[in-house]
Amino acid sequence: MKLIVCLGICLAITFTVAVKAPCIELSDGKQMPVVALGTGRGTAKETESVDVVRQAVYWAIEAGYRHIDTAAIYEDESEVGQGIADAIAKGLVKREELFVTTKLWSDKHRQDQVVPALRESLSKLGLDYIDLYLVHFPVAIKPDYSPDDIDYLETWRGMEEAKALGLARSIGVSNFNAKQLDRLIANCKVRPVVNEIEVNPTNTQIDLVTHCQAQAVAVMAYSPFGFLVSRGTSNAPPPRVDDPLLVSMAQKYGKTTSQIVLRYLIERGLTPIPKSTNKKRIAQNIDLFDFSLTPQEVAQINNFNKNVRVIDMADWKDYPNFPFNE
Ligand SMILES: NC(=O)c1ccc[n+]([C@@H]2O[C@H](COP(=O)([O-])OP(=O)(O)OC[C@H]3O[C@@H](n4cnc5c(N)ncnc54)[C@H](OP(=O)(O)O)[C@@H]3O)[C@@H](O)[C@H]2O)c1
C-alpha cells in the first residue's frame, strides 16, 4: 500500500516536472498546450535531411512539449509520427497526453477531398485521430498551383465531417483575415476554435488578434521569432537577436532574447510555435514559465511593429480569397 502511494506521488511529481507549458481551454472545451514545437521546413538548410524532425520531436517531448505543429505541405508528417512513436515507446508520454496539430493543404479544398486528405495525414503520422485540424490557407489551388475556384465555406463542410467522424477532435483555420473569419463563423455549424497566423515583433497583428480573441478563437502564433533570426533578406526590419532593448530585458530576467519574444507572445494570450531542430534551443524555447513581462515591456515590444510579414505568399496575391490584401 505504502509503495503504491509512494509510486503515485513520485509519478505525479515526475509528470509535473516534465510538462512545461500550461493549457488554455478552446471554445469547444478541449485543452490546448500554449507552446507548440514548429516542424515547418522553411528555415531548414538545403542539405538538412528531413530525418532531423523525428529527433526534434522526441527531444521536444522529452523537454516537456505536449503540442506539435505539422502540416501536409511540410512533407514531414511521417517523421513527426516517428518521433511521437519513439517517445511513446520509451514511456515518456501517452498518446492522449499529446496535442497534435496538422493542416489541410490548398489543393484539397473540395468538400469530398477533406476527409481523405486527413486520413492520409493520419496514416503518415501513425495516429488514429488528430487533436486539431486546420485549413492551412483560405486560398484554393489546383495541383499545378494555379488558382482554383472553391469557396472555403465548402472546405469547412468537409472539416465539419472530419470532426463528426472523430478523426479531428477540434477544427480551425490558418491565415484567415478578420472578414473571412466572420463569414465562416456566420455560415458554419461548428465554429473554428483556432486561427494560426504570423505574429512576431515586426508583425504584431494587434487588430486581428483582438478580433479573434473577441470571437473566442484562440490564436496560434507562427514564425514567432520574426526577423530575430535570418530569413535570407538583407533589409529586414529590427529587432535582431542582439537588439539593445531585448538584451536589457533578457539580462533583467536571466533569459535569452528569443525567450523574451516567446514570453511576449504568451503575455498576449497567444500560443507560439517556435521551430528548432537543436536540442538546447528546443529546451530553451519552452523554458518560459518562471518569469513574466510587465505590460510596459509588452507595449515596448509592440512598438517594433512594421506590419512586415516573414511569410507574404506574394505569388498568390491575385488569387481569389488571398487574405493579406486587407
Ligand atoms: N500556418 C502557417 O501558414 C505557417 C507558416 C509558417 C510557419 N508555421 C509554423 O510555425 C513554425 C515556426 O515558424 P518558422 O519555422 O517560420 O520560424 P521560427 O520558429 O520563428 O524560427 C525558426 C528559426 O529560428 C531558429 N531558432 C529556434 N530557436 C531559437 C533560439 N532559441 N535562438 C535562436 N534561434 C532559434 C531556428 O534554428 P534551429 O532549428 O537551428 O534552432 C530556425 O532557423 C513552423 O515550423 C510551422 O510549424 C505555420
Side-chain angles (χ1 to χ4, degrees):
M1 177 69 174
K2 265 187 190 156
L3 181 66
I4 293 171
V5 171
C6 172
L7 271 178
I9 291 168
C10 295
L11 287 176
I13 290 167
T14 312
F15 185 75
T16 315
V17 169
V19 177
K20 286 276 168 56
C23 291
I24 52 161
E25 187 167 307
L26 300 173
S27 68
D28 62 4
K30 301 283 192 304
Q31 299 285 317
M32 181 175 81
V34 299
V35 178
L37 177 77
T39 65
R41 308 283 297 142
T43 55
K45 294 181 190 74
E46 270 176 33
T47 50
E48 189 184 270
S49 157
V50 70
D51 293 338
V52 298
V53 173
R54 175 180 187 164
Q55 180 69 78
V57 168
Y58 182 87
W59 283 333
I61 294 171
E62 195 177 43
Y65 290 68
R66 294 295 177 265
H67 186 171
I68 314 291
D69 180 85
T70 184
I73 193 64
Y74 302 165
E75 296 185 343
D76 64 3
E77 290 173 308
S78 300
E79 289 72 18
V80 168
Q82 287 161 357
I84 290 172
D86 292 344
I88 292 174
K90 283 271 180 182
L92 295 184
V93 76
K94 297 193 189 89
R95 165 65 185 101
E96 57 272 25
E97 292 162 357
L98 291 175
F99 190 99
V100 184
T101 296
T102 194
K103 312 184 195 87
L104 174 80
W105 187 232
S106 291
D107 61 354
K108 303 274 190 304
H109 270 213
R110 274 199 346 256
Q111 182 178 352
D112 64 0
Q113 290 179 303
V114 177
V115 166
L118 175 53
R119 286 195 195 280
E120 195 179 331
S121 286
L122 289 172
S123 160
K124 287 181 179 163
L125 284 159
L127 301 177
D128 51 14
Y129 70 91
I130 202 77
D131 294 276
L132 178 62
Y133 198 39
L134 302 177
V135 178
H136 203 144
F137 215 76
V139 168
I141 58 165
K142 295 183 177 149
D144 67 358
Y145 269 65
S146 62
D148 206 350
D149 192 17
I150 304 170
D151 190 338
Y152 52 80
L153 294 183
E154 169 178 341
T155 313
W156 192 252
R157 289 196 290 275
M159 298 292 284
E160 290 173 333
E161 285 170 6
K163 182 171 162 77
L165 289 168
L167 298 173
R169 295 266 163 103
S170 296
I171 52 175
V173 295
S174 178
N175 295 300
F176 274 46
N177 66 33
K179 272 191 195 158
Q180 292 169 329
L181 195 62
D182 288 350
R183 180 168 171 262
L184 179 58
I185 289 171
N187 292 282
C188 67
K189 289 193 196 125
V190 179
R191 291 170 65 96
V193 296
V194 159
N195 191 10
E196 182 174 313
I197 57 174
E198 180 182 324
V199 191
N200 52 54
T202 34
N203 187 18
T204 54
Q205 303 254 39
I206 301 288
D207 290 347
L208 183 53
V209 167
T210 305
H211 189 82
C212 291
Q213 291 175 338
Q215 300 275 7
V217 174
V219 175
M220 289 174 66
Y222 75 68
S223 302
F225 297 125
F227 294 103
L228 242 66
V229 298
S230 170
R231 303 286 177 176
T233 47
S234 52
N235 57 349
R240 299 282 177 278
V241 78
D242 58 353
D243 180 89
L245 176 68
L246 296 181
V247 168
S248 72
M249 290 183 197
Q251 283 169 348
K252 175 177 167 188
Y253 294 110
K255 294 286 174 181
T256 66
T257 53
S258 315
Q259 289 170 310
I260 295 295
V261 166
L262 295 174
R263 183 70 211 191
Y264 152 78
L265 297 166
I266 303 271
E267 302 294 356
R268 292 183 56 199
L270 312 181
T271 294
I273 318 171
K275 173 267 168 188
S276 181
T277 46
N278 173 282
K279 188 175 187 182
K280 193 170 148 218
R281 289 192 285 278
I282 288 171
Q284 194 182 97
N285 292 344
I286 200 166
D287 183 16
L288 309 170
F289 297 96
D290 56 356
F291 77 110
S292 53
L293 300 178
T294 66
Q296 291 76 12
E297 288 164 340
V298 170
Q300 282 177 305
I301 298 178
N302 278 336
N303 281 339
F304 284 114
N305 184 45
K306 292 277 182 296
N307 298 322
V308 174
R309 293 177 189 278
V310 169
I311 310 278
D312 63 10
M313 301 293 284
D315 290 351
W316 291 9
K317 70 178 175 13
D318 298 321
Y319 286 19
N321 294 319
F322 185 73
F324 303 155
N325 290 334
E326 299 282 325

